[in-house]
Amino acid sequence: MQTAASLDRMKSSFIREILAAASDPDMISLAGGLPDEKTFPIELLKPTIAQLHNDISLFQYGPTQGYAPLVKHLNQLYQLPEHHKLLVTTGSQQGLDLIARAYMNPGDGVAMEAPSYLGAMQVFDFVQASILPIAQLADGPDLEALERCFANDKPKLFYAVPDFHNPTGVCWSLATRQAVAKLCIEYDVTLLEDAPYRPLRFSGEALPMVSSFCPDQALVLRSFSKIASPGLRIGVVSGPAQWIEPLIKVKQGADLHSNVPAQAMLLGLLEHPEFEQHIAKVCDLYHGRYQVLLKALEQLEPFGCQAQPVAGGMFVWLTLPDCDSFAFAKYLIEQGVATVPSDVFYSAEKGVSALRLNFTNATPDMLQEAVSRLAQALATR
Amino acid sequence: MQTAASLDRMKSSFIREILAAASDPDMISLAGGLPDEKTFPIELLKPTIAQLHNDISLFQYGPTQGYAPLVKHLNQLYQLPEHHKLLVTTGSQQGLDLIARAYMNPGDGVAMEAPSYLGAMQVFDFVQASILPIAQLADGPDLEALERCFANDKPKLFYAVPDFHNPTGVCWSLATRQAVAKLCIEYDVTLLEDAPYRPLRFSGEALPMVSSFCPDQALVLRSFSKIASPGLRIGVVSGPAQWIEPLIKVKQGADLHSNVPAQAMLLGLLEHPEFEQHIAKVCDLYHGRYQVLLKALEQLEPFGCQAQPVAGGMFVWLTLPDCDSFAFAKYLIEQGVATVPSDVFYSAEKGVSALRLNFTNATPDMLQEAVSRLAQALATR
């Protein structure tokens, strides 16, 4: 049976391929975007898990919008205005997919930071949207290029990860946040603010979300995969109610609703008095690992490599002298270290040569050993 | 923001609307397709739930195909041949959606029994497939019409619910099963066998699945929502490996993977020595309710109504004298009984006038009272 034409456009995830290749036990993987499973708040989840069997209604069909007590809690937590609404999704990846399906016709434009999250490019490719890359600078997207794109190409959406961007780790400055919001309003482009890493700040002060400067011109994706558990597959989309309603309609056909016991488990966690403290502990752990990695990466400077400092998130972006980053990442696998090459984070355009290094799922010793192997590879290739 | 053109084709689910309207506590609802929550095997789930916190890997990202021990168990349970593969989905609804997205181009044909499952029509409408209705007879689809359709319209898929069809309750005869499989092979049409009600047989002997007569020409959807718990949202698609691979690719963009703790809970249930006995108890309970309903429906015969006997499943199809079934169902809601009118189960064509009555989620007393209200409504409208 022939697959649909739209499927031909969809790249298979290089990350998954590289993760599969990285099954060698001697391999050190900085490739995935995995949280350290030792951070999972199992102790805080225990009381809710132990009570699951007492609420039989959790095992019945539930509302498409989400488990009502969780929806209520999140509405308050995010202080959504009266005319806004939220939808609980099967991970924030589903939120992204639902938005693309509900809003993008073939050929509709979506502006994206370049480089950008591979999973978002896949989703927009699949609905045959036209991806419009905007170069990511040190403070966020190139504002002049963004305005030119908005004016000339009239995209429907601007997909962005303003806090600890995947893959570059960039955190947009306050001025950039305000400027982007202003442009979205001026050119009637919907901001799609994806914020999975936002709670993982380990230095400096949190900046307001970009959508807070254009709340009626934005959809927001939030994830609990980085601060609670990815296995639960619970994310949230929020925004103006009339933009959420079509997503609910599409979700109904996509999976009826998300797993209800998982939503109850998440609610128990969010209500747990120690959850805030748990997030702080996770940030501390990742901060320490980040410092070890950044320090170690200094030894690569003689090879023309440059690590970009970050204030949170899960990734460091290591720029390389101009090269075929894909070929270099493959060579690195042979040397026992898995990374993700910059090529996979660009759509059609040629990007910078770089590697994305994850620091949340390896111990300090492993991080140091990985960088030694990187140095070795740079010296010998 | 304007929604995608494909969304305009998607009917909102009348069932959900009617369920919302049916919130009056005096309302008796035979409208939904809900299992009785008292049947949920909570006792059998308890040991697994109690152990969840001991396996931290359940809370990490998992493989898109499914939780490996569950995949292994299901492979054995279904005795899949070497060249077949399965994919765990977020409910079998997601399996349906993934198949439509991976295989259907706009205008591609999908043959369906008429009437048919609303959730399947929604999914195929959304990908702008062309729905080709085949009249459902007492033994299954009209074989002559099916062959004409296969020969003339060359559909890509034939979507069917051969066991205790939703909404008619029809169970295909052995001869029809063999004939349909033969036609699928002859005309190279992929059978999409949706089997959520198959384990709910309460009389007679199980017949082989249709796909067992054309295994390399079929995709099979299985659900645990009717025999275990819908809230867990776990379903399975299986078929030739080369047809499952594209579904895994689409699922990766749709939600990365399904909830892992729920997959572990389901595995614990399937391995529980008392699970078979649990299913038998559920069937017994539903059998009793069905008998009460069927007996009560005899009193509607003077009004020209005819209930179709069934050997399992969740629904009885009550044909009415020719009328606007939608208007009649609305009138019934005013009389305190919610049902689903036949209109919503047909795509464009005019179908028979009928009501779908669910007998699994109401007590015998409620079923009898519902039929009294139906009789009253027929007498007074």
Side-chain angles (χ1 to χ4, degrees), chain B residues 145-188:
Chain B
L146 188 68
E147 179 158 14
R148 256 194 326 272
C149 167
F150 281 12
N152 299 336
D153 303 320
K154 304 195 184 314
K156 208 160 182 179
L157 293 175
F158 175 33
Y159 170 81
V161 183
D163 286 288
F164 320 123
H165 177 246
N166 177 3
T168 63
V170 164
C171 184
W172 296 9
S173 68
L174 181 62
T176 297
R177 288 167 193 253
Q178 290 167 323
V180 168
K182 194 159 165 277
L183 288 175
C184 285
I185 293 169
E186 189 176 337
Y187 290 95
D188 191 21

mmCIF file of all heavy atoms in Angstrom, chain B residues 145-188:
data_model
loop_
_atom_site.group_PDB
_atom_site.id
_atom_site.type_symbol
_atom_site.label_atom_id
_atom_site.label_comp_id
_atom_site.label_asym_id
_atom_site.label_seq_id
_atom_site.Cartn_x
_atom_site.Cartn_y
_atom_site.Cartn_z
ATOM 1 N N ALA B 145 -22.484 -5.185 -3.775
ATOM 2 C CA ALA B 145 -22.167 -3.755 -3.777
ATOM 3 C C ALA B 145 -20.679 -3.546 -3.474
ATOM 4 O O ALA B 145 -20.028 -2.672 -4.053
ATOM 5 C CB ALA B 145 -23.027 -3.027 -2.743
ATOM 6 N N LEU B 146 -20.153 -4.386 -2.594
ATOM 7 C CA LEU B 146 -18.742 -4.252 -2.223
ATOM 8 C C LEU B 146 -17.849 -4.540 -3.437
ATOM 9 O O LEU B 146 -16.910 -3.795 -3.724
ATOM 10 C CB LEU B 146 -18.402 -5.210 -1.072
ATOM 11 C CG LEU B 146 -17.010 -5.039 -0.453
ATOM 12 C CD1 LEU B 146 -16.902 -3.715 0.303
ATOM 13 C CD2 LEU B 146 -16.684 -6.190 0.507
ATOM 14 N N GLU B 147 -18.171 -5.602 -4.158
ATOM 15 C CA GLU B 147 -17.334 -5.939 -5.330
ATOM 16 C C GLU B 147 -17.441 -4.853 -6.404
ATOM 17 O O GLU B 147 -16.433 -4.474 -7.008
ATOM 18 C CB GLU B 147 -17.715 -7.308 -5.910
ATOM 19 C CG GLU B 147 -16.857 -7.645 -7.127
ATOM 20 C CD GLU B 147 -16.774 -9.131 -7.452
ATOM 21 O OE1 GLU B 147 -17.577 -9.913 -6.907
ATOM 22 O OE2 GLU B 147 -15.883 -9.494 -8.251
ATOM 23 N N ARG B 148 -18.658 -4.342 -6.610
ATOM 24 C CA ARG B 148 -18.832 -3.237 -7.580
ATOM 25 C C ARG B 148 -17.970 -2.043 -7.177
ATOM 26 O O ARG B 148 -17.297 -1.437 -7.998
ATOM 27 C CB ARG B 148 -20.312 -2.809 -7.626
ATOM 28 C CG ARG B 148 -21.057 -3.302 -8.851
ATOM 29 C CD ARG B 148 -22.398 -2.613 -9.059
ATOM 30 N NE ARG B 148 -23.130 -2.244 -7.863
ATOM 31 C CZ ARG B 148 -23.994 -3.031 -7.214
ATOM 32 N NH1 ARG B 148 -24.235 -4.258 -7.643
ATOM 33 N NH2 ARG B 148 -24.630 -2.589 -6.144
ATOM 34 N N CYS B 149 -18.015 -1.748 -5.893
ATOM 35 C CA CYS B 149 -17.235 -0.615 -5.388
ATOM 36 C C CYS B 149 -15.742 -0.849 -5.588
ATOM 37 O O CYS B 149 -15.014 0.022 -6.079
ATOM 38 C CB CYS B 149 -17.562 -0.400 -3.909
ATOM 39 S SG CYS B 149 -16.417 0.698 -3.060
ATOM 40 N N PHE B 150 -15.272 -2.051 -5.223
ATOM 41 C CA PHE B 150 -13.844 -2.376 -5.386
ATOM 42 C C PHE B 150 -13.443 -2.259 -6.864
ATOM 43 O O PHE B 150 -12.373 -1.738 -7.193
ATOM 44 C CB PHE B 150 -13.555 -3.799 -4.893
ATOM 45 C CG PHE B 150 -13.450 -3.934 -3.385
ATOM 46 C CD1 PHE B 150 -13.844 -2.909 -2.533
ATOM 47 C CD2 PHE B 150 -12.943 -5.112 -2.815
ATOM 48 C CE1 PHE B 150 -13.740 -3.045 -1.146
ATOM 49 C CE2 PHE B 150 -12.825 -5.252 -1.433
ATOM 50 C CZ PHE B 150 -13.233 -4.229 -0.603
ATOM 51 N N ALA B 151 -14.312 -2.771 -7.746
ATOM 52 C CA ALA B 151 -13.986 -2.806 -9.182
ATOM 53 C C ALA B 151 -14.022 -1.404 -9.788
ATOM 54 O O ALA B 151 -13.135 -1.034 -10.563
ATOM 55 C CB ALA B 151 -14.956 -3.732 -9.908
ATOM 56 N N ASN B 152 -15.031 -0.628 -9.421
ATOM 57 C CA ASN B 152 -15.223 0.669 -10.091
ATOM 58 C C ASN B 152 -14.473 1.813 -9.420
ATOM 59 O O ASN B 152 -13.946 2.684 -10.093
ATOM 60 C CB ASN B 152 -16.717 1.026 -10.143
ATOM 61 C CG ASN B 152 -17.511 0.004 -10.934
ATOM 62 O OD1 ASN B 152 -16.945 -0.690 -11.788
ATOM 63 N ND2 ASN B 152 -18.795 -0.114 -10.642
ATOM 64 N N ASP B 153 -14.492 1.821 -8.080
ATOM 65 C CA ASP B 153 -13.960 2.996 -7.373
ATOM 66 C C ASP B 153 -12.544 2.794 -6.853
ATOM 67 O O ASP B 153 -11.927 3.735 -6.372
ATOM 68 C CB ASP B 153 -14.892 3.363 -6.199
ATOM 69 C CG ASP B 153 -16.314 3.625 -6.672
ATOM 70 O OD1 ASP B 153 -16.454 4.246 -7.744
ATOM 71 O OD2 ASP B 153 -17.273 3.209 -5.979
ATOM 72 N N LYS B 154 -12.072 1.555 -6.941
ATOM 73 C CA LYS B 154 -10.697 1.236 -6.528
ATOM 74 C C LYS B 154 -10.304 1.912 -5.209
ATOM 75 O O LYS B 154 -9.335 2.686 -5.163
ATOM 76 C CB LYS B 154 -9.712 1.619 -7.629
ATOM 77 C CG LYS B 154 -10.043 0.961 -8.966
ATOM 78 C CD LYS B 154 -8.908 1.034 -9.955
ATOM 79 C CE LYS B 154 -9.330 0.455 -11.311
ATOM 80 N NZ LYS B 154 -10.064 -0.845 -11.225
ATOM 81 N N PRO B 155 -11.042 1.620 -4.125
ATOM 82 C CA PRO B 155 -10.669 2.216 -2.835
ATOM 83 C C PRO B 155 -9.321 1.662 -2.364
ATOM 84 O O PRO B 155 -8.900 0.583 -2.783
ATOM 85 C CB PRO B 155 -11.785 1.773 -1.891
ATOM 86 C CG PRO B 155 -12.347 0.537 -2.509
ATOM 87 C CD PRO B 155 -12.200 0.712 -3.994
ATOM 88 N N LYS B 156 -8.659 2.428 -1.526
ATOM 89 C CA LYS B 156 -7.379 1.995 -0.965
ATOM 90 C C LYS B 156 -7.636 1.089 0.238
ATOM 91 O O LYS B 156 -6.909 0.135 0.481
ATOM 92 C CB LYS B 156 -6.614 3.240 -0.509
ATOM 93 C CG LYS B 156 -5.131 3.108 -0.534
ATOM 94 C CD LYS B 156 -4.479 4.495 -0.560
ATOM 95 C CE LYS B 156 -2.980 4.401 -0.637
ATOM 96 N NZ LYS B 156 -2.358 5.731 -0.685
ATOM 97 N N LEU B 157 -8.677 1.437 1.013
ATOM 98 C CA LEU B 157 -8.993 0.736 2.254
ATOM 99 C C LEU B 157 -10.457 0.310 2.272
ATOM 100 O O LEU B 157 -11.314 0.971 1.691
ATOM 101 C CB LEU B 157 -8.798 1.673 3.454
ATOM 102 C CG LEU B 157 -7.418 2.163 3.848
ATOM 103 C CD1 LEU B 157 -7.563 3.164 5.001
ATOM 104 C CD2 LEU B 157 -6.538 0.996 4.292
ATOM 105 N N PHE B 158 -10.716 -0.789 3.004
ATOM 106 C CA PHE B 158 -12.087 -1.112 3.396
ATOM 107 C C PHE B 158 -12.089 -1.149 4.919
ATOM 108 O O PHE B 158 -11.520 -2.044 5.531
ATOM 109 C CB PHE B 158 -12.528 -2.448 2.798
ATOM 110 C CG PHE B 158 -13.904 -2.895 3.263
ATOM 111 C CD1 PHE B 158 -14.914 -1.971 3.543
ATOM 112 C CD2 PHE B 158 -14.198 -4.256 3.402
ATOM 113 C CE1 PHE B 158 -16.173 -2.386 3.971
ATOM 114 C CE2 PHE B 158 -15.453 -4.678 3.824
ATOM 115 C CZ PHE B 158 -16.443 -3.738 4.120
ATOM 116 N N TYR B 159 -12.705 -0.130 5.524
ATOM 117 C CA TYR B 159 -12.787 -0.069 6.983
ATOM 118 C C TYR B 159 -14.024 -0.845 7.430
ATOM 119 O O TYR B 159 -15.126 -0.592 6.944
ATOM 120 C CB TYR B 159 -12.907 1.390 7.451
ATOM 121 C CG TYR B 159 -13.229 1.489 8.935
ATOM 122 C CD1 TYR B 159 -12.222 1.352 9.882
ATOM 123 C CD2 TYR B 159 -14.534 1.673 9.379
ATOM 124 C CE1 TYR B 159 -12.512 1.402 11.243
ATOM 125 C CE2 TYR B 159 -14.836 1.725 10.740
ATOM 126 C CZ TYR B 159 -13.819 1.587 11.661
ATOM 127 O OH TYR B 159 -14.109 1.622 13.002
ATOM 128 N N ALA B 160 -13.860 -1.780 8.363
ATOM 129 C CA ALA B 160 -14.992 -2.607 8.786
ATOM 130 C C ALA B 160 -14.890 -3.018 10.250
ATOM 131 O O ALA B 160 -13.792 -3.127 10.798
ATOM 132 C CB ALA B 160 -15.062 -3.856 7.915
ATOM 133 N N VAL B 161 -16.034 -3.218 10.875
ATOM 134 C CA VAL B 161 -16.135 -3.701 12.259
ATOM 135 C C VAL B 161 -16.938 -5.008 12.205
ATOM 136 O O VAL B 161 -18.144 -5.007 12.424
ATOM 137 C CB VAL B 161 -16.830 -2.660 13.162
ATOM 138 C CG1 VAL B 161 -16.863 -3.118 14.622
ATOM 139 C CG2 VAL B 161 -16.141 -1.295 13.071
ATOM 140 N N PRO B 162 -16.267 -6.120 11.887
ATOM 141 C CA PRO B 162 -17.002 -7.366 11.614
ATOM 142 C C PRO B 162 -17.627 -8.004 12.854
ATOM 143 O O PRO B 162 -18.568 -8.783 12.725
ATOM 144 C CB PRO B 162 -15.925 -8.285 11.022
ATOM 145 C CG PRO B 162 -14.831 -7.361 10.547
ATOM 146 C CD PRO B 162 -14.849 -6.234 11.542
ATOM 147 N N ASP B 163 -17.115 -7.691 14.040
ATOM 148 C CA ASP B 163 -17.678 -8.301 15.257
ATOM 149 C C ASP B 163 -18.475 -7.281 16.045
ATOM 150 O O ASP B 163 -17.895 -6.351 16.623
ATOM 151 C CB ASP B 163 -16.548 -8.869 16.125
ATOM 152 C CG ASP B 163 -15.969 -10.150 15.559
ATOM 153 O OD1 ASP B 163 -16.673 -11.181 15.633
ATOM 154 O OD2 ASP B 163 -14.857 -10.113 15.014
ATOM 155 N N PHE B 164 -19.806 -7.465 16.072
ATOM 156 C CA PHE B 164 -20.689 -6.618 16.887
ATOM 157 C C PHE B 164 -20.488 -5.154 16.519
ATOM 158 O O PHE B 164 -20.131 -4.305 17.335
ATOM 159 C CB PHE B 164 -20.463 -6.889 18.381
ATOM 160 C CG PHE B 164 -20.276 -8.344 18.663
ATOM 161 C CD1 PHE B 164 -19.141 -8.832 19.302
ATOM 162 C CD2 PHE B 164 -21.239 -9.260 18.236
ATOM 163 C CE1 PHE B 164 -18.967 -10.183 19.528
ATOM 164 C CE2 PHE B 164 -21.069 -10.620 18.458
ATOM 165 C CZ PHE B 164 -19.931 -11.082 19.107
ATOM 166 N N HIS B 165 -20.746 -4.961 15.244
ATOM 167 C CA HIS B 165 -20.594 -3.676 14.562
ATOM 168 C C HIS B 165 -21.225 -2.517 15.323
ATOM 169 O O HIS B 165 -22.290 -2.650 15.910
ATOM 170 C CB HIS B 165 -21.278 -3.845 13.191
ATOM 171 C CG HIS B 165 -21.316 -2.643 12.332
ATOM 172 N ND1 HIS B 165 -22.494 -2.013 12.001
ATOM 173 C CD2 HIS B 165 -20.316 -1.959 11.734
ATOM 174 C CE1 HIS B 165 -22.219 -0.980 11.213
ATOM 175 N NE2 HIS B 165 -20.915 -0.932 11.027
ATOM 176 N N ASN B 166 -20.521 -1.397 15.301
ATOM 177 C CA ASN B 166 -21.037 -0.136 15.800
ATOM 178 C C ASN B 166 -21.527 0.648 14.588
ATOM 179 O O ASN B 166 -20.719 0.960 13.715
ATOM 180 C CB ASN B 166 -19.905 0.626 16.513
ATOM 181 C CG ASN B 166 -20.329 1.996 17.003
ATOM 182 O OD1 ASN B 166 -21.483 2.380 16.873
ATOM 183 N ND2 ASN B 166 -19.388 2.741 17.563
ATOM 184 N N PRO B 167 -22.800 0.959 14.447
ATOM 185 C CA PRO B 167 -23.864 0.911 15.448
ATOM 186 C C PRO B 167 -24.832 -0.269 15.380
ATOM 187 O O PRO B 167 -25.669 -0.376 16.263
ATOM 188 C CB PRO B 167 -24.651 2.183 15.099
ATOM 189 C CG PRO B 167 -24.584 2.247 13.605
ATOM 190 C CD PRO B 167 -23.200 1.730 13.258
ATOM 191 N N THR B 168 -24.753 -1.155 14.389
ATOM 192 C CA THR B 168 -25.873 -2.100 14.191
ATOM 193 C C THR B 168 -25.791 -3.365 15.041
ATOM 194 O O THR B 168 -26.771 -4.097 15.139
ATOM 195 C CB THR B 168 -25.959 -2.558 12.713
ATOM 196 O OG1 THR B 168 -24.760 -3.264 12.401
ATOM 197 C CG2 THR B 168 -26.130 -1.379 11.776
ATOM 198 N N GLY B 169 -24.624 -3.668 15.611
ATOM 199 C CA GLY B 169 -24.478 -4.903 16.377
ATOM 200 C C GLY B 169 -24.273 -6.137 15.522
ATOM 201 O O GLY B 169 -24.066 -7.235 16.043
ATOM 202 N N VAL B 170 -24.311 -5.981 14.190
ATOM 203 C CA VAL B 170 -24.177 -7.121 13.276
ATOM 204 C C VAL B 170 -22.836 -7.827 13.469
ATOM 205 O O VAL B 170 -21.802 -7.178 13.643
ATOM 206 C CB VAL B 170 -24.310 -6.651 11.803
ATOM 207 C CG1 VAL B 170 -23.786 -7.698 10.823
ATOM 208 C CG2 VAL B 170 -25.754 -6.294 11.489
ATOM 209 N N CYS B 171 -22.874 -9.160 13.440
ATOM 210 C CA CYS B 171 -21.650 -9.970 13.449
ATOM 211 C C CYS B 171 -21.610 -10.715 12.120
ATOM 212 O O CYS B 171 -22.523 -11.475 11.797
ATOM 213 C CB CYS B 171 -21.696 -10.943 14.631
ATOM 214 S SG CYS B 171 -20.193 -11.917 14.796
ATOM 215 N N TRP B 172 -20.556 -10.484 11.337
ATOM 216 C CA TRP B 172 -20.492 -11.079 9.994
ATOM 217 C C TRP B 172 -20.490 -12.615 10.072
ATOM 218 O O TRP B 172 -19.827 -13.196 10.932
ATOM 219 C CB TRP B 172 -19.220 -10.665 9.261
ATOM 220 C CG TRP B 172 -19.068 -9.210 8.956
ATOM 221 C CD1 TRP B 172 -19.830 -8.169 9.392
ATOM 222 C CD2 TRP B 172 -18.045 -8.640 8.128
ATOM 223 N NE1 TRP B 172 -19.354 -6.992 8.897
ATOM 224 C CE2 TRP B 172 -18.248 -7.246 8.119
ATOM 225 C CE3 TRP B 172 -16.980 -9.162 7.391
ATOM 226 C CZ2 TRP B 172 -17.426 -6.370 7.401
ATOM 227 C CZ3 TRP B 172 -16.153 -8.298 6.684
ATOM 228 C CH2 TRP B 172 -16.389 -6.916 6.685
ATOM 229 N N SER B 173 -21.170 -13.237 9.125
ATOM 230 C CA SER B 173 -21.144 -14.699 9.030
ATOM 231 C C SER B 173 -19.778 -15.165 8.532
ATOM 232 O O SER B 173 -19.001 -14.372 7.976
ATOM 233 C CB SER B 173 -22.211 -15.171 8.048
ATOM 234 O OG SER B 173 -21.852 -14.756 6.742
ATOM 235 N N LEU B 174 -19.514 -16.450 8.729
ATOM 236 C CA LEU B 174 -18.242 -17.013 8.263
ATOM 237 C C LEU B 174 -18.090 -16.849 6.755
ATOM 238 O O LEU B 174 -17.025 -16.460 6.254
ATOM 239 C CB LEU B 174 -18.163 -18.492 8.655
ATOM 240 C CG LEU B 174 -16.881 -19.224 8.248
ATOM 241 C CD1 LEU B 174 -15.655 -18.613 8.919
ATOM 242 C CD2 LEU B 174 -16.967 -20.707 8.595
ATOM 243 N N ALA B 175 -19.179 -17.111 6.029
ATOM 244 C CA ALA B 175 -19.112 -17.021 4.561
ATOM 245 C C ALA B 175 -18.791 -15.593 4.125
ATOM 246 O O ALA B 175 -17.982 -15.378 3.205
ATOM 247 C CB ALA B 175 -20.447 -17.473 3.956
ATOM 248 N N THR B 176 -19.390 -14.609 4.800
ATOM 249 C CA THR B 176 -19.119 -13.215 4.448
ATOM 250 C C THR B 176 -17.662 -12.866 4.737
ATOM 251 O O THR B 176 -17.000 -12.178 3.956
ATOM 252 C CB THR B 176 -20.065 -12.281 5.235
ATOM 253 O OG1 THR B 176 -21.407 -12.564 4.834
ATOM 254 C CG2 THR B 176 -19.762 -10.817 4.960
ATOM 255 N N ARG B 177 -17.152 -13.359 5.880
ATOM 256 C CA ARG B 177 -15.751 -13.085 6.226
ATOM 257 C C ARG B 177 -14.817 -13.592 5.128
ATOM 258 O O ARG B 177 -13.899 -12.882 4.684
ATOM 259 C CB ARG B 177 -15.394 -13.759 7.563
ATOM 260 C CG ARG B 177 -16.037 -13.062 8.741
ATOM 261 C CD ARG B 177 -15.988 -13.855 10.058
ATOM 262 N NE ARG B 177 -16.908 -13.212 10.991
ATOM 263 C CZ ARG B 177 -16.546 -12.477 12.047
ATOM 264 N NH1 ARG B 177 -15.274 -12.369 12.377
ATOM 265 N NH2 ARG B 177 -17.440 -11.887 12.802
ATOM 266 N N GLN B 178 -15.077 -14.830 4.709
ATOM 267 C CA GLN B 178 -14.211 -15.418 3.682
ATOM 268 C C GLN B 178 -14.336 -14.674 2.357
ATOM 269 O O GLN B 178 -13.347 -14.413 1.675
ATOM 270 C CB GLN B 178 -14.544 -16.904 3.520
ATOM 271 C CG GLN B 178 -14.100 -17.702 4.754
ATOM 272 C CD GLN B 178 -14.663 -19.116 4.802
ATOM 273 O OE1 GLN B 178 -15.820 -19.343 4.405
ATOM 274 N NE2 GLN B 178 -13.871 -20.052 5.309
ATOM 275 N N ALA B 179 -15.574 -14.315 2.029
ATOM 276 C CA ALA B 179 -15.810 -13.632 0.747
ATOM 277 C C ALA B 179 -15.148 -12.251 0.731
ATOM 278 O O ALA B 179 -14.548 -11.847 -0.279
ATOM 279 C CB ALA B 179 -17.314 -13.511 0.491
ATOM 280 N N VAL B 180 -15.240 -11.525 1.842
ATOM 281 C CA VAL B 180 -14.638 -10.183 1.893
ATOM 282 C C VAL B 180 -13.113 -10.280 1.775
ATOM 283 O O VAL B 180 -12.479 -9.519 1.035
ATOM 284 C CB VAL B 180 -15.055 -9.433 3.176
ATOM 285 C CG1 VAL B 180 -14.203 -8.177 3.371
ATOM 286 C CG2 VAL B 180 -16.539 -9.057 3.122
ATOM 287 N N ALA B 181 -12.532 -11.242 2.493
ATOM 288 C CA ALA B 181 -11.073 -11.406 2.426
ATOM 289 C C ALA B 181 -10.644 -11.699 0.990
ATOM 290 O O ALA B 181 -9.649 -11.148 0.494
ATOM 291 C CB ALA B 181 -10.631 -12.531 3.361
ATOM 292 N N LYS B 182 -11.416 -12.540 0.328
ATOM 293 C CA LYS B 182 -11.099 -12.911 -1.058
ATOM 294 C C LYS B 182 -11.155 -11.679 -1.969
ATOM 295 O O LYS B 182 -10.261 -11.460 -2.795
ATOM 296 C CB LYS B 182 -12.113 -13.973 -1.510
ATOM 297 C CG LYS B 182 -11.751 -14.715 -2.768
ATOM 298 C CD LYS B 182 -12.500 -16.054 -2.846
ATOM 299 C CE LYS B 182 -12.424 -16.637 -4.263
ATOM 300 N NZ LYS B 182 -13.440 -16.090 -5.181
ATOM 301 N N LEU B 183 -12.189 -10.875 -1.778
ATOM 302 C CA LEU B 183 -12.328 -9.657 -2.593
ATOM 303 C C LEU B 183 -11.176 -8.677 -2.327
ATOM 304 O O LEU B 183 -10.670 -8.045 -3.254
ATOM 305 C CB LEU B 183 -13.674 -8.972 -2.310
ATOM 306 C CG LEU B 183 -14.926 -9.661 -2.847
ATOM 307 C CD1 LEU B 183 -16.177 -8.918 -2.374
ATOM 308 C CD2 LEU B 183 -14.900 -9.722 -4.383
ATOM 309 N N CYS B 184 -10.784 -8.555 -1.059
ATOM 310 C CA CYS B 184 -9.681 -7.635 -0.735
ATOM 311 C C CYS B 184 -8.399 -8.053 -1.447
ATOM 312 O O CYS B 184 -7.660 -7.217 -1.978
ATOM 313 C CB CYS B 184 -9.457 -7.578 0.778
ATOM 314 S SG CYS B 184 -10.722 -6.616 1.639
ATOM 315 N N ILE B 185 -8.144 -9.378 -1.456
ATOM 316 C CA ILE B 185 -6.949 -9.879 -2.134
ATOM 317 C C ILE B 185 -7.068 -9.659 -3.647
ATOM 318 O O ILE B 185 -6.163 -9.131 -4.292
ATOM 319 C CB ILE B 185 -6.730 -11.378 -1.805
ATOM 320 C CG1 ILE B 185 -6.391 -11.540 -0.315
ATOM 321 C CG2 ILE B 185 -5.632 -11.972 -2.685
ATOM 322 C CD1 ILE B 185 -6.405 -12.969 0.193
ATOM 323 N N GLU B 186 -8.235 -10.039 -4.181
ATOM 324 C CA GLU B 186 -8.440 -9.979 -5.638
ATOM 325 C C GLU B 186 -8.285 -8.552 -6.169
ATOM 326 O O GLU B 186 -7.673 -8.332 -7.215
ATOM 327 C CB GLU B 186 -9.833 -10.530 -5.955
ATOM 328 C CG GLU B 186 -10.091 -10.714 -7.435
ATOM 329 C CD GLU B 186 -11.464 -11.349 -7.678
ATOM 330 O OE1 GLU B 186 -11.996 -12.025 -6.754
ATOM 331 O OE2 GLU B 186 -12.014 -11.137 -8.774
ATOM 332 N N TYR B 187 -8.846 -7.583 -5.432
ATOM 333 C CA TYR B 187 -8.839 -6.197 -5.931
ATOM 334 C C TYR B 187 -7.754 -5.347 -5.264
ATOM 335 O O TYR B 187 -7.739 -4.130 -5.445
ATOM 336 C CB TYR B 187 -10.226 -5.561 -5.732
ATOM 337 C CG TYR B 187 -11.270 -6.141 -6.652
ATOM 338 C CD1 TYR B 187 -12.094 -7.184 -6.229
ATOM 339 C CD2 TYR B 187 -11.406 -5.666 -7.956
ATOM 340 C CE1 TYR B 187 -13.041 -7.738 -7.076
ATOM 341 C CE2 TYR B 187 -12.358 -6.210 -8.813
ATOM 342 C CZ TYR B 187 -13.176 -7.254 -8.373
ATOM 343 O OH TYR B 187 -14.103 -7.784 -9.222
ATOM 344 N N ASP B 188 -6.889 -5.980 -4.482
ATOM 345 C CA ASP B 188 -5.792 -5.266 -3.809
ATOM 346 C C ASP B 188 -6.298 -4.078 -2.986
ATOM 347 O O ASP B 188 -5.809 -2.943 -3.117
ATOM 348 C CB ASP B 188 -4.738 -4.814 -4.832
ATOM 349 C CG ASP B 188 -3.465 -4.309 -4.153
ATOM 350 O OD1 ASP B 188 -3.237 -4.668 -2.975
ATOM 351 O OD2 ASP B 188 -2.720 -3.536 -4.790
#
